[in-house]
Amino acid sequence: MSEQEKQELIRRALDARKKAYAPYSHFQVGAALVTEDGSLYQGGNIENASYGATCCAERTAVFQAVCDGKRRIKALAVAGGMEGTEPADYAYPCGICRQVLQEFAAADMVLIVARSVTDYREYSLEELLPYGFGGESIK
Ligand code: THU
């Protein structure tokens, strides 16, 4: 992935963050991902008065892709922070989202955790979820 492509994906994550529904935590997260065929999907966190029913931004984006028949994610960018502010820190995917990504990640998926278009960190899924449990574990 080129630097320009990464920055574009972060821009899309920051855009998706604007539509996050987070009236309880006021922590707004946006995610954007690109699938193996080059399709783009976005998502924001969607909270619920019954807190446990909340869906994280990453999973919102992943589920949009899967619903559209795209099951291999090449790269995902995520950015989060308190509403009304730019992300103050890197918002790392939670454990559940890491597990969901394990299911649909391309072998070399790039995970980008961004504070801004130019300030970001990059990881492999293996770094964020070592010894992960996947489909091959139950064959
Ligand atoms: N959140 C995400 O959207 N992604 C993560 O990986 C971590 C947490 C959301 C869930 C909740 O709406 C808010 O951030 C505070 O936990």
Side-chain angles (χ1 to χ4, degrees):
M1 250 188 131
S2 70
E3 177 71 25
Q4 206 179 347
E5 287 170 322
K6 288 175 201 166
Q7 292 199 359
E8 183 55 27
L9 199 59
I10 295 167
R11 212 167 275 121
R12 302 292 189 135
L14 290 167
D15 249 17
R17 184 176 169 241
K18 293 178 191 155
K19 293 185 188 142
Y21 176 72
Y24 304 107
S25 72
H26 304 285
F27 190 80
Q28 297 184 316
V29 186
L33 65 83
V34 61
T35 54
E36 253 173 5
D37 67 343
S39 304
L40 180 96
Y41 296 88
Q42 291 163 283
N45 52 332
I46 303 171
E47 296 189 344
N48 194 282
S50 174
Y51 294 178
T54 292
C55 190
C56 292
E58 299 91 317
R59 273 177 289 147
T60 306
V62 171
F63 294 156
Q64 299 235 48
V66 174
C67 277
D68 203 25
K70 310 294 165 68
R71 296 180 178 171
R72 284 290 150 251
I73 298 165
K74 226 166 60 175
L76 179 141
V78 60
M82 294 310 290
E83 82 186 9
T85 66
E86 296 306 309
D89 216 336
Y90 303 102
Y92 285 87
C94 78
I96 298 173
C97 288
R98 293 179 198 204
Q99 181 63 34
V100 168
L101 284 167
Q102 162 102 34
E103 191 73 27
F104 299 109
D108 54 351
M109 183 182 72
V110 177
L111 257 161
I112 297 166
V113 185
R115 289 205 303 196
S116 72
V117 168
T118 51
D119 178 0
Y120 63 88
R121 294 177 179 170
E122 207 180 311
Y123 302 90
S124 65
L125 184 61
E126 176 68 23
E127 286 176 289
L128 295 191
L129 188 66
Y131 305 106
F133 185 86
E136 69 289 346
S137 311
I138 50 176
K139 271 181 192 148

